Amino acid sequence: VSVLLLQAKSCICHMCGAHLNRLHSCLYCVFFGCFTKKHIHEHAKTKRHNLAIDLLYGGIYCFMCQDYIYDKDMEQIAKEEQRKAWKLQAFTPTVVSHYQCTMTGIGEKYSTWEPTKRELELLRHNPKRRKITTNCTIGLRGLINLGNTCFMNCIVQALTHTPLLRDFFLSDRHKCEMQSPSSCLVCEMSTLFQEFYSGHRSPHIPYRLLHLVWTHARHLAGYEQQDAHEFLIAALDVLHRHCKGDDNGKKANNPNHCNCIIDQIFTGGLQSDVTCQVCHGVSTTIDPFWDISLDLPGSSTPFWPLSPGSDGSVVNGESHVSGTTTLTDCLRRFTRPEHLGSSAKIKCSGCHSYQESTKQLTMKKLPIVACFHLKRFEHSAKLRRKITTYVSFPLELDMTPFMASSKESRMNGQYQQPTDSLNNDNKYSLFAVVNHQGTLESGHYTSFIRQHKDQWFKCDDAIITKASIKDVLDSEGYLLFYHKQFLEYE
């Protein structure tokens, strides 16, 4: 097996010349054939060579049984030989790279970890989980700017430091079902996590990620500066599409229902209640969302008055300096009732006629990661500008006041503290902040990421420096990433 794996860089199907499509090698003669296109099947039928080895996993296929043969000893031998092959690759400069291996499909570089008897014994004697020390830098890695790609680098830093997403990829949970893994953005993200947490200190060059983004989100292709928020949504969309595999979400003919890791972590439910002003009948719809875009004071949109406590008290963990806008203010404005006016009448199902109405947005379902987009870039027919209004945001955020279940606690759009605000399911911790410096025409993106509890670092492309909590909270803020507290692991 090890000889086959090491020489597989020159393996091609003897019938079609392809090096993908799950190559199998005949165990009777020197013949390589595609399993997907059934070229190895044709060879077996013609030559009556009924056993072949899968070059991707080392499994033995029997053409008489038309199935893979499971044998405990054979599986163990395949795993051991595969490990030896990868070790040889690690120490042999002339051996093919991981990229070439992916292209030729010759095994998996990152095999799942299986503890030895000695390791199991140590784990039994040390039941407490060992934490990474606070001065550990594993997981911190700069990213080379490939030409105005700071918008991509800052989002990659935020995603690779998303606690639950990190746990998913580092436990080798992604099983690619795409015909060509080299075009799968999720596979590339999996590789990125391995690179970030490998312990290497030199900056990583994300050229493959950039190429895949250009391929799958063509509106982001080119070397012009792009919007980090737009990149985040495009990246989540492609990851979601590539994660679905056999399209589990479409079995119920509902494109919004999906159980992939992206939807599990980032998707929430936004409830919209439209109330008729005549009969007070309510029409409710619930839409999925990946992020919440919030208007800011200074924009052309009228802003809701500041929250109670703007005289210097603390609301939702935010220190209110007189006149300072807070994230809570922005969320209050987002979830306040809005009168739609006479020019936007809706047909009321109760009145059976068009009536004026009010609309109110609330959170029906909170995502594991809540991403808030502060709308700093204003684009209109008359105006194109950046809004630099400072917005105070907290390290810890309670979303209970903005839930649909807390709607009764609002009176005429004025926030009142609900009695069930101790609901831990709705509490979040800040773990990443993306900032934009400069103007609409010329600017630069950086990010702050949390490595451990209260340990923050500033990521400026290839340069990573330690940052204080004050540095983070004093920053302008463009994208704010919060993670549900009870699902975090330190």
Side-chain angles (χ1 to χ4, degrees), residues 271-282:
Q271 180 168 315
S272 173
D273 294 318
V274 178
T275 306
C276 174
Q277 293 296 283
V278 176
C279 70
H280 302 292
V282 180

Side-chain angles (χ1 to χ4, degrees), residues 133-136 140 431 448-457 466-469 472 490:
T133 56
T134 54
N135 59 354
C136 177
L140 292 173
F431 72 91
F448 287 106
I449 57 96
R450 189 190 64 190
Q451 170 74 345
H452 309 290
K453 187 173 177 60
D454 298 332
Q455 297 287 316
W456 287 84
F457 291 86
K466 198 162 178 25
S468 67
I469 293 176
V472 178
E490 288 293 342

Side-chain angles (χ1 to χ4, degrees), residues 327-387:
L327 179 61
T328 301
D329 293 327
C330 298
L331 284 167
R332 284 180 55 249
R333 183 192 185 282
F334 182 79
T335 56
R336 83 196 192 286
E338 178 186 2
H339 186 71
L340 297 180
S342 57
S343 60
K345 290 183 178 180
I346 59 149
K347 188 169 184 179
C348 175
S349 57
C351 301
H352 302 289
S353 60
Y354 287 91
Q355 303 291 351
E356 290 190 25
S357 58
T358 59
K359 178 181 178 181
Q360 184 172 11
L361 299 174
T362 49
M363 310 295 160
K364 178 65 176 177
K365 174 182 173 289
L366 289 173
I368 292 171
V369 168
C371 175
F372 300 106
H373 165 227
L374 304 184
K375 294 162 72 172
R376 296 200 173 276
F377 304 128
E378 191 169 44
H379 301 272
S380 65
K382 297 180 179 178
L383 203 60
R384 287 186 75 254
R385 59 174 180 147
K386 180 185 174 184
I387 300 165

Side-chain angles (χ1 to χ4, degrees), residues 200-219:
H200 295 308
R201 298 191 175 201
S202 59
H204 180 65
I205 307 172
Y207 65 94
R208 288 189 60 204
L209 176 67
L210 183 64
H211 171 71
L212 286 174
V213 169
W214 284 3
T215 302
H216 297 293
R218 294 194 177 276
H219 62 289

Side-chain angles (χ1 to χ4, degrees), residues 460-473:
D460 187 351
D461 288 332
I463 302 169
I464 295 183
T465 52
K466 198 162 178 25
S468 67
I469 293 176
K470 187 177 184 301
D471 293 332
V472 178
L473 298 182

Side-chain angles (χ1 to χ4, degrees), residues 149-355:
T149 57
C150 57
F151 69 93
M152 176 180 77
N153 290 348
C154 65
I155 298 301
V156 169
Q157 293 288 358
L159 293 178
T160 50
H161 288 88
T162 301
L164 216 60
L165 197 63
R166 173 199 63 202
D167 294 347
F168 173 84
F169 280 111
L170 293 185
S171 59
D172 201 24
R173 298 286 298 280
H174 171 57
K175 305 299 178 189
C176 185
E177 296 188 28
M178 292 185 68
Q179 285 190 346
S180 175
S182 61
S183 65
C184 176
L185 189 63
V186 192
C187 287
E188 179 56 26
M189 281 301 296
S190 183
T191 302
L192 267 177
F193 273 89
Q194 300 290 348
E195 289 287 349
F196 266 72
Y197 291 90
S198 65
H200 295 308
R201 298 191 175 201
S202 59
H204 180 65
I205 307 172
Y207 65 94
R208 288 189 60 204
L209 176 67
L210 183 64
H211 171 71
L212 286 174
V213 169
W214 284 3
T215 302
H216 297 293
R218 294 194 177 276
H219 62 289
L220 295 174
Y223 289 101
E224 296 83 12
Q225 179 66 271
Q226 303 289 349
D227 180 28
H229 173 246
E230 190 176 359
F231 176 81
L232 170 67
I233 299 304
L236 291 178
D237 178 57
V238 177
L239 286 168
H240 158 74
R241 285 190 276 121
H242 289 189
C243 262
K244 289 202 293 187
D246 60 348
D247 288 334
N248 290 326
K250 293 187 179 179
K251 286 183 179 177
N253 294 320
N254 182 1
N256 296 327
H257 176 71
C258 178
N259 200 37
C260 75
I261 189 63
I262 298 302
D263 275 312
Q264 286 184 53
I265 293 177
F266 293 95
T267 300
L270 190 65
Q271 180 168 315
S272 173
D273 294 318
V274 178
T275 306
C276 174
Q277 293 296 283
V278 176
C279 70
H280 302 292
V282 180
S283 172
T284 299
T285 57
I286 299 171
D287 296 307
F289 68 88
W290 278 332
D291 73 316
I292 299 168
S293 293
L294 301 170
D295 288 314
L296 300 179
S299 69
S300 56
T301 308
F303 198 78
W304 194 248
L306 295 178
S307 62
S310 59
D311 54 353
S313 62
V314 174
V315 175
N316 208 354
E318 295 168 321
S319 295
H320 288 245
V321 180
S322 181
T324 300
T325 303
T326 69
L327 179 61
T328 301
D329 293 327
C330 298
L331 284 167
R332 284 180 55 249
R333 183 192 185 282
F334 182 79
T335 56
R336 83 196 192 286
E338 178 186 2
H339 186 71
L340 297 180
S342 57
S343 60
K345 290 183 178 180
I346 59 149
K347 188 169 184 179
C348 175
S349 57
C351 301
H352 302 289
S353 60
Y354 287 91
Q355 303 291 351

